[in-house]
Amino acid sequence: KRPPPIARRERLEKDRRMRMTELAPGGELTDALRQAGLPVEDLGRPKQRFWRFAGSDGVLGYAGLEGDGPDALLRSVMIDPAARGRGHGLALVEAIAGEAAKRGTERLWLLTLDAAGFFEKAGFARVPRDTAPPAIAATAEFISLCPVSAVCMARPLGRAV
């Protein structure tokens, strides 16, 4: 038997409240990203920050930012398979976008092999890879970790989804 609509709505709101905890590279973060098939070879480089996102039922996912200044790279967005399909991914991206905006970032960039549709829902647009600014193009993800077939995307901050 399904709970009444108000109880379902309250549960959803409870699930969407996330705790964002900054993590050092290694250990838990490396294990989670490796299991998700995301690059870990460059973890710990300067100007990288990563977070674990947790909700009422435990870990929801991980994500990071690389760079400072007007452009930053959104990287290693990973949602736990058990938490997918409930809006946690979009909430996680919004939390990271908010963190980036607080740091003075004006535009987020990313590369993805198979999640372009998800990131379009989060306000990103496909852009030619060669339009990335030098600071983004110089990251390990752009140089060697992501193949040239990866979709390049960008999103100006301050735009509501």
Side-chain angles (χ1 to χ4, degrees):
K1 186 176 179 180
R2 295 182 76 178
I6 291 174
R8 284 195 309 265
R9 192 174 20 227
E10 288 171 356
R11 170 70 182 171
L12 181 60
E13 286 306 311
K14 181 179 177 188
D15 283 349
R16 286 193 176 167
R17 278 188 231 126
M18 293 187 292
R19 292 180 310 281
M20 186 174 172
T21 305
E22 191 162 358
L23 294 176
E28 171 189 349
L29 175 67
T30 301
D31 292 345
L33 298 181
R34 190 173 280 133
Q35 280 186 318
L38 295 171
V40 297
E41 295 83 2
D42 69 328
L43 295 183
R45 293 183 99 171
K47 300 180 183 177
Q48 290 181 345
R49 293 176 72 188
F50 292 90
W51 292 269
R52 172 185 55 232
F53 294 82
S56 60
D57 293 331
V59 174
L60 300 172
Y62 301 85
L65 286 173
E66 183 170 350
D68 55 14
D71 295 283
L73 182 67
L74 173 63
R75 56 166 296 157
S76 305
V77 174
M78 179 262 175
I79 302 300
D80 185 271
R84 292 181 184 157
R86 296 188 287 171
H88 297 305
L90 291 175
L92 184 150
V93 170
E94 287 309 307
I96 289 289
E99 183 67 28
K102 281 191 248 176
R103 298 173 64 206
T105 300
E106 297 170 8
R107 182 176 300 269
L108 285 178
W109 295 82
L110 65 85
L111 292 172
T112 184
L113 291 173
D114 57 7
F118 165 78
F119 286 110
E120 286 172 335
K121 290 178 187 170
F124 286 82
R126 295 169 192 244
V127 296
R129 191 170 177 147
D130 63 3
T131 62
I136 298 301
T139 64
E141 281 211 359
F142 269 74
I143 292 171
S144 62
L145 297 180
C146 290
V148 294
S149 60
V151 176
C152 183
M153 303 184 84
R155 174 186 163 184
L157 296 182
R159 185 168 119 197
V161 176

